[in-house]
Amino acid sequence: MRARLTLLVLALAQLVIALDYNIVYVALPDMGDDLGFAPHDLQWVVSAYVVTTGGFLLLGGRTADLLGRRRAFVVAALLYAGSSLVGGVSPSAGVLVAARAVQGLGGALLFPATLALINTLYAEGPARNRALAVWGAAGAGGLCFGSLLGGVLVETFGWPSVFFVNVPLAAALAWAALRLFPADAPRTSARGFDVAGALTGTGGITLLVFLLVHAPEAGWTSPSAVLSAVAAAALLTVFALVETRSRDPLLPSRLLAHRPLLAATGVTALYGATFSALPYFMTLYFRTVREYSALVTGLAFLVPALVTALGTQAGERAVARVGVRRMLAGGMALGSAGAAALGLALTADGSYPLLLPGIVLLGIGQGAAWTGMWIVAASGVDAHDQGIASGLASTTLQVGGAVGLALLVAVSGGVAQGPSDGAVLTGLRAAVLTVAVALGCGVPLALALRRPTTVTA
């Protein structure tokens, strides 16, 4: 019973992370009106979360390894609760964006701590695969379910409710972790904290994600974009030099030589650039082209949420039968077919059932790929490196998401010439079909995965 409750808490933590990623999408217009956001600044309600999460994941992963996974989990959950409360009572746009940034810090600590707890509490093999499937169902489903919950909350209670809902959830997670998770081992002096690596790596990655989010709007040759690019390159170069000389590097070189983990980072980057970007374009389709209300838009994401959750369970069973490599390739192939079917079904006046074949294929593929890529990322990694391994894979997930969304928005905008609704629809369809092509390219990447060997210090 205790083991099931522990897994439930870990799954709920992932649900909170996934919900916070996109629960605010349907609330953005109301936030903009109430708090006086300038049109070009409203995106930072989302981007502040993405930038801080992506920039601090490596640091969060290593912090969980060194200070303890339970401690990191509890602190991160309390950060979520506090920042969500501030976000809900924000009197101005600046305060709201700052609260979202602190939520992102919580996510950067909570995600790798949660994943590292799963990978250390459950033995590698069927037990861990089942745990990852349950955790994955909460996370992958939450990415879609956030739109549904956001729509219901905004329509019923107003936009602050999308923040207030996190306060009791996150506080309950912190309490449950103290009651259920095993106590962290006492710290030893054998392993130090790479301060120089943490500062340069976190700064460089944060500026890189900021560049990828900011440049499409401001222009790639704008002074802010150029300065961010130069500073990010400089900091990441210094980070690489620091890591070669550090006694206890933030990113150990043994992990960079671990081929399954490196392959998993490529898969997570592709996942972020494709599957994770689709809700943005589907929200635009439902709200702009079909003119659905916030509530109806949320309901439209209910089927994707349920099918994706089923896909994580199907993926876990498929691993036992055909292996993770073939299962992951199959998930990518299903996702590619689903995106192609969905793109062709996007019309100005077609019914929602016409979208269902593509949605079902996409959801199954997305859920299976989500479970599979975290199985690969954890395989063969020693217990004391699980946090940083999770942080590395999740960093590429966030960076891939930022790159993919920027590129897909550029594709959509380049195709959608003109102000008409038909042009907008053409652009959305082009973005979804581009996702289909990209996922098709992920099939050989998954098939190229090799059987992992254990990496130790």
Side-chain angles (χ1 to χ4, degrees), residues 270-294:
L270 179 61
Y271 186 103
T274 53
F275 286 121
S276 295
L278 279 176
Y280 172 83
F281 295 99
M282 293 308 298
T283 300
L284 285 179
Y285 173 72
F286 291 137
R287 294 299 304 269
T288 304
V289 177
R290 300 306 306 275
E291 298 183 344
Y292 289 176
S293 67

Side-chain angles (χ1 to χ4, degrees), residues 139-150:
L143 289 173
C144 294
F145 186 67
S147 298
L148 171 60
L149 181 59

Side-chain angles (χ1 to χ4, degrees), residues 326-356:
R326 292 179 180 176
M327 186 278 289
L328 194 52
M332 292 289 182
L334 283 175
S336 178
L342 182 62
L344 295 175
L346 295 179
T347 60
D349 54 4
S351 64
Y352 183 79
L354 289 177
L355 306 178
L356 290 180

Side-chain angles (χ1 to χ4, degrees), residues 153-327:
L153 290 175
V154 171
E155 289 280 337
T156 307
F157 302 108
W159 69 261
S161 60
V162 303
F163 294 102
F164 290 146
V165 70
N166 282 323
V167 178
L169 285 176
L173 287 174
W175 176 83
L178 292 172
R179 296 293 301 271
L180 294 173
F181 296 170
D184 294 314
R187 281 204 66 199
T188 65
S189 59
R191 303 177 73 194
F193 197 84
D194 181 13
V195 177
L199 292 175
T200 54
T202 299
I205 295 170
T206 301
L207 284 171
L208 175 61
V209 179
F210 171 81
L211 171 68
L212 296 173
V213 171
H214 175 65
E217 178 71 24
W220 290 94
T221 58
S222 65
S224 58
V226 173
L227 180 61
S228 298
V230 172
L235 285 173
L236 290 174
T237 300
V238 174
F239 171 69
L241 294 174
V242 167
E243 295 303 275
T244 61
R245 292 167 170 78
S246 175
R247 184 172 67 88
D248 293 297
L250 179 69
L251 183 59
S253 60
R254 60 183 175 273
L255 292 182
L256 296 178
H258 187 43
R259 290 185 178 180
L261 178 58
L262 292 182
T265 61
V267 173
T268 57
L270 179 61
Y271 186 103
T274 53
F275 286 121
S276 295
L278 279 176
Y280 172 83
F281 295 99
M282 293 308 298
T283 300
L284 285 179
Y285 173 72
F286 291 137
R287 294 299 304 269
T288 304
V289 177
R290 300 306 306 275
E291 298 183 344
Y292 289 176
S293 67
L295 177 59
V296 175
T297 297
L299 290 171
F301 279 98
L302 179 59
V303 174
L306 294 175
V307 176
T308 302
L310 291 174
T312 62
Q313 306 306 303
E316 182 265 327
R317 292 181 176 87
V319 168
R321 295 186 178 184
V322 301
V324 67
R325 184 182 66 169
R326 292 179 180 176
M327 186 278 289

